[in-house]
Amino acid sequence: MVCFSFIIAILGLLSVPSLCSVTSPYSSYILAPPSRTIYADKIYAVNGSVTNAKSLTEVHGNAIFKGANSSVTYDFGKNVAGLVTFVVQKSDKEQTIGITFTESSMWISGQGSDATANDGVDEPLWFTVSGPGTFTPAPEYERGGFRYMSVILNTTGTVEISELKVHFTPMPHVADNKLQAYEGYFHCNDELLNKIWYAGAYTTQLCTISPVRGDSLQASQTSGNPYHTIYGTDIWYNNYTITNGSSTPVDGAKRDRLVWAGDLAVTIPSTFVSTNDLISAKNALQSLFVAQNNETGCLPWAGFPFGRGLCSFTYHLYGLIAVANIFQYSNDRNYLSEYWDQWKFGMNFSLSAIDSSGLANVTSSFDWLREGMGGHNIEANSILYFTLNYGLELAKYMNDDSVQVDYANKMRGIKEAANERLWNATAGLFNDNDTGFTVNPQDGNVWSIKSGVADVDKIQAISSSLRTRWGTYGAPAPEAGAAISPFISSIELEAHMIANQSQRALDLIRLEWGFMLNDPRTTQSTFIEGYSTDGSLHYPPYSNDPRVSHAHGWSTGPTSTLTFYVAGMQILSPGGAEWLVSPHFGDLTEAAAGFKTPLGSFSSSWTLKNNKLVLSFSTPKGTKGSLPLYR
Ligand SMILES: *[C@@H]1O[C@H](CO)[C@@H](O)[C@H](O)[C@H]1NC(C)=O
Ligand SMILES: *[C@@H]1O[C@H](CO)[C@@H](O)[C@H](O)[C@H]1NC(C)=O
Ligand SMILES: *[C@@H]1O[C@H](CO)[C@@H](O)[C@H](O)[C@H]1NC(C)=O
Ligand SMILES: *[C@@H]1O[C@H](CO)[C@@H](O)[C@H](O)[C@H]1NC(C)=O
Ligand SMILES: *[C@@H]1O[C@H](CO)[C@@H](O)[C@H](O)[C@H]1NC(C)=O
Ligand SMILES: *[C@@H]1O[C@H](CO)[C@@H](O)[C@H](O)[C@H]1NC(C)=O
Ligand SMILES: *[C@@H]1O[C@H](CO)[C@@H](O)[C@H](O)[C@H]1NC(C)=O
Ligand SMILES: *[C@@H]1O[C@H](CO)[C@@H](O)[C@H](O)[C@H]1NC(C)=O
Ligand SMILES: *[C@@H]1O[C@H](CO)[C@@H](O)[C@H](O)[C@H]1NC(C)=O
Ligand SMILES: *[C@@H]1O[C@H](CO)[C@@H](O)[C@H](O)[C@H]1NC(C)=O
Ligand SMILES: *[C@@H]1O[C@H](CO)[C@@H](O)[C@H](O)[C@H]1NC(C)=O
């Protein structure tokens, strides 16, 4: 430990009136558009004969497409989503205009959009044009994520287009001019980290959709297998109703547009510290709890209509964790009461898997598309331990003493058995389970730290063994082939922070999220769901690369980690009645963050120069907390 002197200014406890301005601090980093009507940023490519192509990046353009396969690919400069509209001024009879979309520049084509199905690509939107008019596809053809949009003339005549715009559809429940109204902020002296924080926040926004525009998989699923195709491309549309309410978080902006509880484990904290949009998360959770299996208590692997009746040991627990997170961030006791019986019923399902070893023997091994998550699995048992710990807290707020003894005993059993049966001293990591020694998984090891399952004397070994495995493009997840999973790596960031290895956490953000943000094949604004250890944008569970989602909420871990650990403002009890200010410095010299709960505003800000720390923070009147400091 390095010793240093420090000066602390405690603002909140003196209840200084807040110097609040209309926009949140650092709002210039926000990627969400100021209004829902958006135009392309620039031209990426022109093919054939198009006059004045660039004019369509502005309100009153006028571009003339002439001859077959004349096309323009527009670049929005970042990932966006919505419903396209164009105005035709003049046209020859019976012309065909096609529009295609893609998140990655790798799939730009006049023949199709990137994919939502397991093979092929998605068909272009086709419009028959014979004269002046405004052309807008049916609302189910809103495209959930694209940075590039191509306009193609598929016939041999001439068409004059005067306006080309997109109605931005994410976050449908907020006013048209409030997409940038974040309640939280972050800033530090590393521009890359700042951009990553805001790209994470924006990713969660793109993944918050209208519940009636869900399930991009339905077209490929309902039309049978092989996929229903025209012109060699797959039909696509988004119109399944997946939740109640007017907004919901889904896994990915383009795909699957379904509620998956696992994704919420990363999405909800990142949303809380940025937009603080908890109502959407509540809608998502409701859709899982209404589908709880009334015999077993298991929540569905995914929300409507997918995965009905499918049970995943871990995703079930993620659903229970999400309720606890929403309660913690909102301080909404009615919300917790509403679900408490179902929560305990759900926990009974998980506990019923515990056998004489003290560990749960997982038989419902669906997970985040990793292999072999069965038996006495370390990830599943760590998540169970973590959820039981939440259960003890929740029971306290519910004045329910019926579960305390049981939950605490089960936790003790899991911890003892996991450390005894699953630890691999040679690897300095846990094995996947007690019959499989070939994989020391990333998911189970990071969760063993996050949950508190790992004995204190194992934490440093795990953190350093995980560090040793990083490659050129990030932290590997050997339990999922050659995958790099920004989902599990999001939890790895927290594991290093908990191990007091803040430098490692910052290094991993720069390595893995820096790659995702800067690589020209990505959207450079939102985070991809997964890729390969060799840096190819191939996510091992899928055979069809155009299918990979480039805006996945589960990849946004740095947003919450930078706020909670680097700026160091954490809430420990519902609404932040108790808090902790505990910065983790790494190699940074300054950081600041803030967020809100119904109790008020929380913020912390520090500079560290010449071993002198100046820290100020602010918390709502009547709350209390502590300030442990270490490097
Ligand atoms: C347009 O391009 C496609 C793909 O290269 C090609 O199959 C088609 O024949 C072209 N159309 C015309 C009219 O040249
Ligand atoms: C434009 O031409 C390039 C090079 O042939 C091709 O790769 C690209 O797909 C074309 N763009 C469109 C929208 O057809
Ligand atoms: C687009 O052009 C191709 C090649 O000329 C043709 O086969 C196809 O039918 C056209 N599609 C539409 C929707 O007009
Ligand atoms: C969804 O959209 C498709 C394509 O337009 C349509 O065939 C289908 O009937 C729609 N389904 C619902 C539930 O609206
Ligand atoms: C919507 O709410 C109704 C009643 O409030 C409930 O019966 C239904 O299951 C809910 N649907 C979803 C998808 O959450
Ligand atoms: C339990 O769920 C099944 C299947 O969804 C349903 O048919 C049955 O009515 C439910 N039973 C009760 C008691 O709610
Ligand atoms: C959970 O299981 C315990 C012990 O079997 C039982 O007493 C309790 O009623 C169950 N709770 C719920 C909500 O099903
Ligand atoms: C146990 O872990 C190994 C990897 O070491 C895996 O191959 C196997 O499938 C796992 N067992 C079960 C029951 O999932
Ligand atoms: C877990 O349960 C399954 C099914 O009952 C059983 O076949 C398997 O042997 C058990 N695994 C362990 C490690 O006890
Ligand atoms: C430890 O893990 C390695 C793989 O990293 C494996 O080869 C070895 O068998 C494991 N040892 C034990 C004792 O589980
Ligand atoms: C991290 O540092 C704090 C303060 O020195 C200490 O209380 C805690 O035990 C450390 N955690 C680990 C895992 O070493």
Side-chain angles (χ1 to χ4, degrees), residues 45-48 69-73 100 107-111 149-152:
V46 177
N47 291 349
N69 282 339
S70 290
S71 71
V72 186
T73 298
T100 65
W107 316 114
I108 290 171
S109 160
Q111 315 293 303
M149 182 173 84
S150 301
V151 180
I152 309 105

Side-chain angles (χ1 to χ4, degrees), residues 272 324-333 336 393-394 396-397 571-579 597-599 602 623:
F272 165 61
N325 282 338
I326 291 172
F327 174 54
Q328 189 181 20
Y329 300 147
S330 67
N331 195 29
D332 182 346
R333 239 166 254 238
L336 177 59
E393 281 291 302
L394 299 182
K396 226 169 55 191
Y397 293 101
I571 64 172
L572 300 181
S573 67
E578 284 174 57
W579 41 261
T597 78
L599 297 185
F602 293 78
T623 62

Side-chain angles (χ1 to χ4, degrees), residues 304-324:
F304 296 107
F306 188 82
R308 230 176 312 204
L310 295 181
C311 172
S312 150
F313 192 89
T314 50
Y315 274 47
H316 164 74
L317 290 168
Y318 283 127
L320 302 183
I321 290 171
V323 170

Side-chain angles (χ1 to χ4, degrees), residues 138 140-141 218 237 239-240:
E140 60 266 30
Y141 296 105
Q218 67 184 308
Y237 48 83
N239 64 4
Y240 198 94

Side-chain angles (χ1 to χ4, degrees), residues 306-431:
F306 188 82
R308 230 176 312 204
L310 295 181
C311 172
S312 150
F313 192 89
T314 50
Y315 274 47
H316 164 74
L317 290 168
Y318 283 127
L320 302 183
I321 290 171
V323 170
N325 282 338
I326 291 172
F327 174 54
Q328 189 181 20
Y329 300 147
S330 67
N331 195 29
D332 182 346
R333 239 166 254 238
N334 292 335
Y335 181 74
L336 177 59
S337 321
E338 196 184 315
Y339 286 111
W340 182 233
D341 284 337
Q342 277 186 277
W343 202 98
K344 289 188 293 177
F345 180 42
M347 182 52 87
N348 273 3
F349 163 75
S350 307
L351 295 179
S352 70
I354 294 179
D355 62 24
S356 59
S357 70
L359 293 169
N361 172 9
V362 176
T363 51
S364 14
S365 61
F366 294 116
D367 202 7
W368 57 276
L369 297 186
R370 57 151 299 181
E371 299 299 316
M373 203 281 292
H376 293 140
N377 176 274
I378 182 66
E379 180 210 13
N381 276 280
S382 296
I383 297 174
L384 174 54
Y385 183 92
F386 182 82
T387 315
L388 281 166
N389 206 17
Y390 266 151
L392 292 176
E393 281 291 302
L394 299 182
K396 226 169 55 191
Y397 293 101
M398 289 291 100
N399 296 316
D400 181 343
D401 56 14
S402 69
V403 296
Q404 307 276 3
V405 172
D406 187 33
Y407 287 6
N409 282 337
K410 294 293 188 334
M411 285 177 69
R412 209 170 304 119
I414 291 169
K415 184 165 171 135
E416 275 174 26
N419 283 282
E420 196 185 303
R421 299 168 74 106
L422 303 179
W423 181 244
N424 182 330
T426 323
L429 291 165
F430 284 101
N431 289 329

